[in-house]
Amino acid sequence: MPDAKSDAERFMTKAIALARDNVLGGGRPFGAVLVMDGEIVSTGVNQVMATKDPTAHAELVAVRAAAMKLGRATLAGATVYASGHPCPMCLAAMRLAGITDIAYAYSNEDGAPHGLTSAALYADLRKPLAEQAMQFVYQPVRPDGEDIYEIWSARQRRQTPDA
């Protein structure tokens, strides 16, 4: 049976190699490897510059690829190895997908001198919503009295067989 530490090092080395190759190809220095049951399910590199998609971070590219490959949105039991400290968007997406194990090689502090840190965003998100850089406004508009949540719940009840 392979040594767990050597597997973790191998997966992290792969994430860093992806990041390095992405830089050499004109991208940002971020790579990610998504692993389940000791096997690589998917990989990703930061594609923000290439696609002009601000959500195309390495971790999200890997999560999307794994979900498509496995045919499901839940990736519980997966581990993500990321070259850099995942940003809040990536952490939230991984959490929504059920991923609870994340390892990274470069911290926000490592990236700060190079402008590669999400520390300020993390700091802003720790504030109450009213104090954050974004403005949040609750607008309870219900056209024609429709409640889309109620419509969804009713459909779910019809699709769920009685126990």
Short mmCIF file of all heavy atoms in Angstrom, two decimals, residues 70-133:
data_model
loop_
_atom_site.label_atom_id
_atom_site.label_comp_id
_atom_site.label_asym_id
_atom_site.label_seq_id
_atom_site.Cartn_x
_atom_site.Cartn_y
_atom_site.Cartn_z
N LEU A 70 -17.81 12.69 -12.95
CA LEU A 70 -18.51 11.76 -12.07
C LEU A 70 -20.03 11.83 -12.22
O LEU A 70 -20.74 10.97 -11.69
CB LEU A 70 -18.11 12.02 -10.62
CG LEU A 70 -16.63 11.84 -10.31
CD1 LEU A 70 -16.31 12.28 -8.88
CD2 LEU A 70 -16.20 10.38 -10.54
N GLY A 71 -20.51 12.86 -12.89
CA GLY A 71 -21.95 12.99 -13.11
C GLY A 71 -22.73 13.34 -11.86
O GLY A 71 -23.87 12.93 -11.69
N ARG A 72 -22.11 14.12 -10.98
CA ARG A 72 -22.81 14.52 -9.75
C ARG A 72 -22.22 15.82 -9.22
O ARG A 72 -21.06 16.14 -9.48
CB ARG A 72 -22.71 13.42 -8.69
CG ARG A 72 -21.30 13.09 -8.25
CD ARG A 72 -21.33 11.98 -7.20
NE ARG A 72 -20.11 11.92 -6.47
CZ ARG A 72 -19.25 10.92 -6.52
NH1 ARG A 72 -19.50 9.88 -7.28
NH2 ARG A 72 -18.16 10.94 -5.78
N ALA A 73 -23.01 16.54 -8.47
CA ALA A 73 -22.58 17.83 -7.92
C ALA A 73 -21.92 17.69 -6.56
O ALA A 73 -21.24 18.60 -6.12
CB ALA A 73 -23.78 18.77 -7.81
N THR A 74 -22.10 16.56 -5.91
CA THR A 74 -21.52 16.35 -4.59
C THR A 74 -20.20 15.59 -4.73
O THR A 74 -20.17 14.52 -5.33
CB THR A 74 -22.49 15.56 -3.69
OG1 THR A 74 -23.70 16.31 -3.59
CG2 THR A 74 -21.92 15.36 -2.31
N LEU A 75 -19.15 16.19 -4.16
CA LEU A 75 -17.83 15.58 -4.25
C LEU A 75 -17.28 15.26 -2.86
O LEU A 75 -16.07 15.34 -2.62
CB LEU A 75 -16.88 16.52 -5.00
CG LEU A 75 -17.32 16.87 -6.43
CD1 LEU A 75 -16.43 17.96 -7.01
CD2 LEU A 75 -17.32 15.64 -7.32
N ALA A 76 -18.18 14.89 -1.95
CA ALA A 76 -17.76 14.53 -0.59
C ALA A 76 -16.73 13.42 -0.66
O ALA A 76 -16.85 12.49 -1.47
CB ALA A 76 -18.97 14.09 0.23
N GLY A 77 -15.71 13.53 0.16
CA GLY A 77 -14.64 12.54 0.19
C GLY A 77 -13.45 12.93 -0.67
O GLY A 77 -12.42 12.27 -0.61
N ALA A 78 -13.60 14.00 -1.44
CA ALA A 78 -12.49 14.45 -2.29
C ALA A 78 -11.52 15.31 -1.48
O ALA A 78 -11.90 15.94 -0.50
CB ALA A 78 -13.02 15.25 -3.47
N THR A 79 -10.29 15.33 -1.93
CA THR A 79 -9.27 16.23 -1.41
C THR A 79 -8.79 17.07 -2.57
O THR A 79 -8.57 16.55 -3.67
CB THR A 79 -8.09 15.46 -0.80
OG1 THR A 79 -8.56 14.64 0.27
CG2 THR A 79 -7.02 16.41 -0.28
N VAL A 80 -8.64 18.37 -2.32
CA VAL A 80 -8.10 19.25 -3.35
C VAL A 80 -6.71 19.68 -2.91
O VAL A 80 -6.52 20.14 -1.77
CB VAL A 80 -9.00 20.49 -3.57
CG1 VAL A 80 -8.32 21.50 -4.49
CG2 VAL A 80 -10.34 20.05 -4.16
N TYR A 81 -5.75 19.52 -3.80
CA TYR A 81 -4.38 19.99 -3.61
C TYR A 81 -4.22 21.20 -4.51
O TYR A 81 -4.37 21.10 -5.73
CB TYR A 81 -3.38 18.90 -4.00
CG TYR A 81 -3.45 17.70 -3.08
CD1 TYR A 81 -4.35 16.67 -3.32
CD2 TYR A 81 -2.63 17.62 -1.97
CE1 TYR A 81 -4.44 15.58 -2.46
CE2 TYR A 81 -2.70 16.53 -1.10
CZ TYR A 81 -3.61 15.52 -1.36
OH TYR A 81 -3.69 14.45 -0.50
N ALA A 82 -3.98 22.35 -3.91
CA ALA A 82 -3.88 23.60 -4.65
C ALA A 82 -2.49 24.19 -4.49
O ALA A 82 -1.93 24.16 -3.40
CB ALA A 82 -4.93 24.59 -4.15
N SER A 83 -1.97 24.76 -5.55
CA SER A 83 -0.65 25.36 -5.47
C SER A 83 -0.65 26.57 -4.55
O SER A 83 0.30 26.82 -3.83
CB SER A 83 -0.14 25.75 -6.85
OG SER A 83 -1.00 26.70 -7.45
N GLY A 84 -1.75 27.33 -4.55
CA GLY A 84 -1.85 28.53 -3.72
C GLY A 84 -3.03 28.47 -2.78
O GLY A 84 -3.95 27.65 -2.96
N HIS A 85 -3.01 29.32 -1.78
CA HIS A 85 -4.10 29.40 -0.82
C HIS A 85 -5.40 29.71 -1.55
O HIS A 85 -5.49 30.73 -2.23
CB HIS A 85 -3.80 30.51 0.20
CG HIS A 85 -4.75 30.54 1.35
ND1 HIS A 85 -6.02 31.06 1.25
CD2 HIS A 85 -4.61 30.13 2.62
CE1 HIS A 85 -6.62 30.97 2.41
NE2 HIS A 85 -5.78 30.41 3.26
N PRO A 86 -6.40 28.86 -1.47
CA PRO A 86 -7.65 29.11 -2.19
C PRO A 86 -8.33 30.41 -1.72
O PRO A 86 -8.33 30.73 -0.54
CB PRO A 86 -8.52 27.90 -1.85
CG PRO A 86 -7.53 26.83 -1.50
CD PRO A 86 -6.41 27.55 -0.80
N CYS A 87 -8.88 31.12 -2.68
CA CYS A 87 -9.61 32.35 -2.37
C CYS A 87 -10.97 32.00 -1.76
O CYS A 87 -11.40 30.84 -1.81
CB CYS A 87 -9.78 33.19 -3.64
SG CYS A 87 -11.04 32.53 -4.76
N PRO A 88 -11.68 32.98 -1.21
CA PRO A 88 -12.99 32.70 -0.62
C PRO A 88 -13.99 32.09 -1.60
O PRO A 88 -14.78 31.23 -1.22
CB PRO A 88 -13.46 34.08 -0.15
CG PRO A 88 -12.21 34.85 0.09
CD PRO A 88 -11.25 34.37 -0.96
N MET A 89 -13.96 32.51 -2.86
CA MET A 89 -14.88 31.94 -3.85
C MET A 89 -14.63 30.45 -4.01
O MET A 89 -15.56 29.64 -4.01
CB MET A 89 -14.70 32.65 -5.21
CG MET A 89 -15.50 32.02 -6.34
SD MET A 89 -15.21 32.80 -7.94
CE MET A 89 -13.49 32.37 -8.25
N CYS A 90 -13.36 30.07 -4.13
CA CYS A 90 -13.02 28.67 -4.30
C CYS A 90 -13.36 27.85 -3.05
O CYS A 90 -13.88 26.74 -3.16
CB CYS A 90 -11.55 28.53 -4.65
SG CYS A 90 -11.16 29.19 -6.29
N LEU A 91 -13.07 28.42 -1.89
CA LEU A 91 -13.42 27.71 -0.65
C LEU A 91 -14.92 27.50 -0.54
O LEU A 91 -15.38 26.41 -0.18
CB LEU A 91 -12.91 28.47 0.57
CG LEU A 91 -11.41 28.36 0.83
CD1 LEU A 91 -11.03 29.16 2.08
CD2 LEU A 91 -10.98 26.91 1.00
N ALA A 92 -15.70 28.51 -0.87
CA ALA A 92 -17.16 28.38 -0.80
C ALA A 92 -17.65 27.32 -1.79
O ALA A 92 -18.49 26.49 -1.44
CB ALA A 92 -17.83 29.73 -1.07
N ALA A 93 -17.12 27.33 -2.99
CA ALA A 93 -17.54 26.34 -3.98
C ALA A 93 -17.17 24.93 -3.55
O ALA A 93 -17.98 24.00 -3.69
CB ALA A 93 -16.91 26.66 -5.33
N MET A 94 -15.97 24.78 -3.00
CA MET A 94 -15.57 23.45 -2.53
C MET A 94 -16.46 22.99 -1.38
O MET A 94 -16.86 21.83 -1.32
CB MET A 94 -14.09 23.43 -2.16
CG MET A 94 -13.19 23.52 -3.38
SD MET A 94 -11.42 23.36 -3.02
CE MET A 94 -11.01 25.01 -2.43
N ARG A 95 -16.79 23.90 -0.49
CA ARG A 95 -17.68 23.54 0.62
C ARG A 95 -19.05 23.14 0.10
O ARG A 95 -19.63 22.16 0.54
CB ARG A 95 -17.80 24.69 1.61
CG ARG A 95 -18.72 24.32 2.78
CD ARG A 95 -18.66 25.29 3.89
NE ARG A 95 -17.43 25.10 4.62
CZ ARG A 95 -17.11 25.79 5.69
NH1 ARG A 95 -17.91 26.73 6.14
NH2 ARG A 95 -15.98 25.58 6.32
N LEU A 96 -19.59 23.91 -0.86
CA LEU A 96 -20.89 23.59 -1.44
C LEU A 96 -20.87 22.22 -2.12
O LEU A 96 -21.89 21.52 -2.16
CB LEU A 96 -21.33 24.67 -2.43
CG LEU A 96 -21.77 25.98 -1.81
CD1 LEU A 96 -21.93 27.06 -2.87
CD2 LEU A 96 -23.07 25.81 -1.03
N ALA A 97 -19.72 21.83 -2.65
CA ALA A 97 -19.58 20.53 -3.30
C ALA A 97 -19.33 19.40 -2.29
O ALA A 97 -19.25 18.24 -2.68
CB ALA A 97 -18.44 20.58 -4.32
N GLY A 98 -19.18 19.74 -1.02
CA GLY A 98 -18.98 18.72 0.01
C GLY A 98 -17.52 18.36 0.25
O GLY A 98 -17.22 17.40 0.95
N ILE A 99 -16.61 19.14 -0.32
CA ILE A 99 -15.18 18.88 -0.13
C ILE A 99 -14.76 19.52 1.19
O ILE A 99 -15.01 20.69 1.42
CB ILE A 99 -14.36 19.48 -1.30
CG1 ILE A 99 -14.77 18.81 -2.60
CG2 ILE A 99 -12.87 19.33 -1.04
CD1 ILE A 99 -14.26 19.52 -3.85
N THR A 100 -14.13 18.73 2.04
CA THR A 100 -13.70 19.24 3.35
C THR A 100 -12.19 19.18 3.56
O THR A 100 -11.68 19.71 4.53
CB THR A 100 -14.39 18.48 4.50
OG1 THR A 100 -14.09 17.08 4.38
CG2 THR A 100 -15.90 18.70 4.47
N ASP A 101 -11.47 18.52 2.65
CA ASP A 101 -10.02 18.38 2.79
C ASP A 101 -9.32 19.15 1.68
O ASP A 101 -9.48 18.83 0.50
CB ASP A 101 -9.61 16.90 2.75
CG ASP A 101 -10.18 16.12 3.91
OD1 ASP A 101 -10.20 16.67 5.03
OD2 ASP A 101 -10.61 14.98 3.71
N ILE A 102 -8.54 20.16 2.09
CA ILE A 102 -7.85 21.03 1.14
C ILE A 102 -6.42 21.23 1.64
O ILE A 102 -6.21 21.51 2.81
CB ILE A 102 -8.57 22.39 1.03
CG1 ILE A 102 -10.02 22.18 0.59
CG2 ILE A 102 -7.83 23.33 0.08
CD1 ILE A 102 -10.93 23.33 0.92
N ALA A 103 -5.48 21.08 0.74
CA ALA A 103 -4.07 21.33 1.05
C ALA A 103 -3.55 22.35 0.05
O ALA A 103 -3.96 22.35 -1.11
CB ALA A 103 -3.26 20.04 0.96
N TYR A 104 -2.66 23.23 0.50
CA TYR A 104 -2.08 24.22 -0.41
C TYR A 104 -0.61 24.41 -0.10
O TYR A 104 -0.16 24.23 1.03
CB TYR A 104 -2.84 25.55 -0.35
CG TYR A 104 -2.89 26.21 1.00
CD1 TYR A 104 -1.96 27.18 1.36
CD2 TYR A 104 -3.87 25.86 1.93
CE1 TYR A 104 -2.00 27.79 2.59
CE2 TYR A 104 -3.92 26.47 3.17
CZ TYR A 104 -2.98 27.42 3.50
OH TYR A 104 -3.02 28.03 4.73
N ALA A 105 0.15 24.79 -1.13
CA ALA A 105 1.61 24.88 -1.01
C ALA A 105 2.10 26.30 -0.73
O ALA A 105 3.11 26.47 -0.07
CB ALA A 105 2.27 24.36 -2.29
N TYR A 106 1.44 27.29 -1.27
CA TYR A 106 1.85 28.68 -1.10
C TYR A 106 0.76 29.43 -0.35
O TYR A 106 -0.41 29.37 -0.73
CB TYR A 106 2.09 29.37 -2.46
CG TYR A 106 3.35 28.91 -3.15
CD1 TYR A 106 3.36 27.72 -3.88
CD2 TYR A 106 4.51 29.66 -3.08
CE1 TYR A 106 4.52 27.30 -4.53
CE2 TYR A 106 5.67 29.23 -3.72
CZ TYR A 106 5.66 28.05 -4.44
OH TYR A 106 6.79 27.63 -5.08
N SER A 107 1.14 30.13 0.71
CA SER A 107 0.18 30.87 1.53
C SER A 107 -0.10 32.25 0.94
O SER A 107 0.60 32.70 0.02
CB SER A 107 0.74 31.05 2.95
OG SER A 107 1.85 31.94 2.91
N ASN A 108 -1.09 32.92 1.50
CA ASN A 108 -1.35 34.30 1.11
C ASN A 108 -0.12 35.17 1.39
O ASN A 108 0.18 36.08 0.62
CB ASN A 108 -2.57 34.85 1.85
CG ASN A 108 -3.85 34.55 1.11
OD1 ASN A 108 -3.91 34.63 -0.12
ND2 ASN A 108 -4.89 34.19 1.85
N GLU A 109 0.58 34.89 2.48
CA GLU A 109 1.79 35.64 2.81
C GLU A 109 2.88 35.42 1.77
O GLU A 109 3.60 36.35 1.41
CB GLU A 109 2.30 35.27 4.21
CG GLU A 109 1.38 35.69 5.34
CD GLU A 109 0.13 34.80 5.50
OE1 GLU A 109 0.11 33.64 4.98
OE2 GLU A 109 -0.83 35.25 6.13
N ASP A 110 2.99 34.19 1.26
CA ASP A 110 3.97 33.90 0.21
C ASP A 110 3.65 34.69 -1.07
O ASP A 110 4.54 35.15 -1.77
CB ASP A 110 3.98 32.41 -0.14
CG ASP A 110 4.45 31.51 0.99
OD1 ASP A 110 5.30 31.95 1.79
OD2 ASP A 110 3.98 30.36 1.06
N GLY A 111 2.37 34.82 -1.36
CA GLY A 111 1.96 35.49 -2.59
C GLY A 111 1.90 37.00 -2.52
O GLY A 111 1.96 37.67 -3.55
N ALA A 112 1.78 37.55 -1.32
CA ALA A 112 1.59 39.00 -1.16
C ALA A 112 2.64 39.85 -1.89
O ALA A 112 2.25 40.80 -2.57
CB ALA A 112 1.53 39.36 0.32
N PRO A 113 3.94 39.55 -1.79
CA PRO A 113 4.92 40.40 -2.48
C PRO A 113 4.75 40.41 -4.00
O PRO A 113 5.27 41.27 -4.69
CB PRO A 113 6.27 39.79 -2.10
CG PRO A 113 6.02 38.97 -0.88
CD PRO A 113 4.60 38.51 -0.98
N HIS A 114 4.00 39.44 -4.52
CA HIS A 114 3.81 39.31 -5.96
C HIS A 114 2.41 39.73 -6.40
O HIS A 114 2.03 39.54 -7.56
CB HIS A 114 4.08 37.86 -6.38
CG HIS A 114 5.38 37.34 -5.86
ND1 HIS A 114 6.59 37.66 -6.45
CD2 HIS A 114 5.66 36.56 -4.80
CE1 HIS A 114 7.56 37.08 -5.77
NE2 HIS A 114 7.02 36.42 -4.76
N GLY A 115 1.63 40.26 -5.46
CA GLY A 115 0.25 40.64 -5.77
C GLY A 115 -0.67 39.45 -5.92
O GLY A 115 -1.73 39.54 -6.55
N LEU A 116 -0.30 38.32 -5.34
CA LEU A 116 -1.06 37.08 -5.46
C LEU A 116 -1.59 36.65 -4.10
O LEU A 116 -1.20 35.63 -3.55
CB LEU A 116 -0.17 35.99 -6.07
CG LEU A 116 0.37 36.28 -7.47
CD1 LEU A 116 1.42 35.25 -7.86
CD2 LEU A 116 -0.76 36.32 -8.48
N THR A 117 -2.47 37.45 -3.55
CA THR A 117 -3.04 37.14 -2.24
C THR A 117 -4.51 37.54 -2.22
O THR A 117 -4.91 38.50 -2.87
CB THR A 117 -2.28 37.87 -1.11
OG1 THR A 117 -2.90 37.54 0.14
CG2 THR A 117 -2.27 39.37 -1.30
N SER A 118 -5.28 36.78 -1.49
CA SER A 118 -6.69 37.12 -1.30
C SER A 118 -6.94 37.52 0.16
O SER A 118 -8.08 37.54 0.62
CB SER A 118 -7.58 35.94 -1.70
OG SER A 118 -7.20 34.76 -1.02
N ALA A 119 -5.87 37.87 0.88
CA ALA A 119 -6.00 38.23 2.30
C ALA A 119 -6.94 39.41 2.52
O ALA A 119 -7.74 39.40 3.46
CB ALA A 119 -4.62 38.53 2.89
N ALA A 120 -6.87 40.43 1.67
CA ALA A 120 -7.75 41.59 1.83
C ALA A 120 -9.21 41.20 1.64
O ALA A 120 -10.09 41.70 2.35
CB ALA A 120 -7.36 42.70 0.86
N LEU A 121 -9.47 40.31 0.70
CA LEU A 121 -10.84 39.84 0.48
C LEU A 121 -11.35 39.05 1.68
O LEU A 121 -12.48 39.24 2.13
CB LEU A 121 -10.90 39.00 -0.79
CG LEU A 121 -12.27 38.48 -1.22
CD1 LEU A 121 -13.30 39.60 -1.31
CD2 LEU A 121 -12.15 37.76 -2.55
N TYR A 122 -10.49 38.18 2.22
CA TYR A 122 -10.87 37.46 3.44
C TYR A 122 -11.19 38.43 4.57
O TYR A 122 -12.18 38.26 5.28
CB TYR A 122 -9.73 36.53 3.89
CG TYR A 122 -9.76 35.17 3.27
CD1 TYR A 122 -8.88 34.83 2.25
CD2 TYR A 122 -10.67 34.21 3.69
CE1 TYR A 122 -8.90 33.57 1.68
CE2 TYR A 122 -10.70 32.95 3.12
CZ TYR A 122 -9.81 32.64 2.12
OH TYR A 122 -9.84 31.39 1.55
N ALA A 123 -10.38 39.47 4.73
CA ALA A 123 -10.60 40.46 5.79
C ALA A 123 -11.92 41.18 5.60
O ALA A 123 -12.67 41.39 6.56
CB ALA A 123 -9.44 41.46 5.84
N ASP A 124 -12.22 41.55 4.37
CA ASP A 124 -13.48 42.25 4.09
C ASP A 124 -14.68 41.34 4.37
O ASP A 124 -15.68 41.78 4.94
CB ASP A 124 -13.51 42.75 2.65
CG ASP A 124 -14.63 43.73 2.39
OD1 ASP A 124 -14.77 44.70 3.18
OD2 ASP A 124 -15.38 43.54 1.41
N LEU A 125 -14.57 40.08 4.01
CA LEU A 125 -15.69 39.14 4.20
C LEU A 125 -15.94 38.83 5.68
O LEU A 125 -17.03 38.37 6.02
CB LEU A 125 -15.44 37.85 3.42
CG LEU A 125 -15.54 38.00 1.90
CD1 LEU A 125 -15.10 36.72 1.21
CD2 LEU A 125 -16.95 38.38 1.48
N ARG A 126 -14.97 39.08 6.53
CA ARG A 126 -15.18 38.86 7.98
C ARG A 126 -16.05 39.95 8.59
O ARG A 126 -16.58 39.78 9.68
CB ARG A 126 -13.84 38.79 8.70
CG ARG A 126 -13.15 37.45 8.58
CD ARG A 126 -11.99 37.31 9.55
NE ARG A 126 -10.84 38.12 9.19
CZ ARG A 126 -9.91 37.76 8.33
NH1 ARG A 126 -9.97 36.60 7.73
NH2 ARG A 126 -8.89 38.55 8.07
N LYS A 127 -16.21 41.07 7.91
CA LYS A 127 -17.01 42.18 8.43
C LYS A 127 -18.50 41.87 8.27
O LYS A 127 -18.89 41.10 7.40
CB LYS A 127 -16.69 43.46 7.66
CG LYS A 127 -15.26 43.93 7.76
CD LYS A 127 -15.06 45.14 6.85
CE LYS A 127 -13.61 45.56 6.77
NZ LYS A 127 -13.43 46.64 5.76
N PRO A 128 -19.34 42.52 9.08
CA PRO A 128 -20.78 42.41 8.85
C PRO A 128 -21.11 42.89 7.43
O PRO A 128 -20.41 43.76 6.89
CB PRO A 128 -21.39 43.34 9.90
CG PRO A 128 -20.34 43.48 10.95
CD PRO A 128 -19.02 43.35 10.24
N LEU A 129 -22.16 42.37 6.83
CA LEU A 129 -22.50 42.72 5.45
C LEU A 129 -22.57 44.23 5.24
O LEU A 129 -22.10 44.74 4.22
CB LEU A 129 -23.83 42.09 5.04
CG LEU A 129 -23.83 40.58 4.82
CD1 LEU A 129 -25.22 40.11 4.42
CD2 LEU A 129 -22.82 40.18 3.77
N ALA A 130 -23.13 44.95 6.19
CA ALA A 130 -23.29 46.40 6.03
C ALA A 130 -21.96 47.14 5.98
O ALA A 130 -21.90 48.27 5.50
CB ALA A 130 -24.15 46.96 7.16
N GLU A 131 -20.89 46.51 6.43
CA GLU A 131 -19.58 47.15 6.46
C GLU A 131 -18.65 46.69 5.34
O GLU A 131 -17.53 47.17 5.22
CB GLU A 131 -18.91 46.90 7.81
CG GLU A 131 -19.64 47.51 8.98
CD GLU A 131 -19.02 47.13 10.32
OE1 GLU A 131 -17.81 46.77 10.34
OE2 GLU A 131 -19.74 47.16 11.33
N GLN A 132 -19.09 45.74 4.52
CA GLN A 132 -18.25 45.21 3.46
C GLN A 132 -18.21 46.17 2.26
O GLN A 132 -19.03 47.07 2.13
CB GLN A 132 -18.75 43.84 3.01
CG GLN A 132 -18.52 42.77 4.06
CD GLN A 132 -18.92 41.40 3.58
OE1 GLN A 132 -19.01 41.14 2.38
NE2 GLN A 132 -19.16 40.51 4.52
N ALA A 133 -17.25 45.94 1.38
CA ALA A 133 -17.06 46.79 0.21
C ALA A 133 -18.22 46.69 -0.78
O ALA A 133 -18.41 47.57 -1.60
CB ALA A 133 -15.75 46.44 -0.49
#
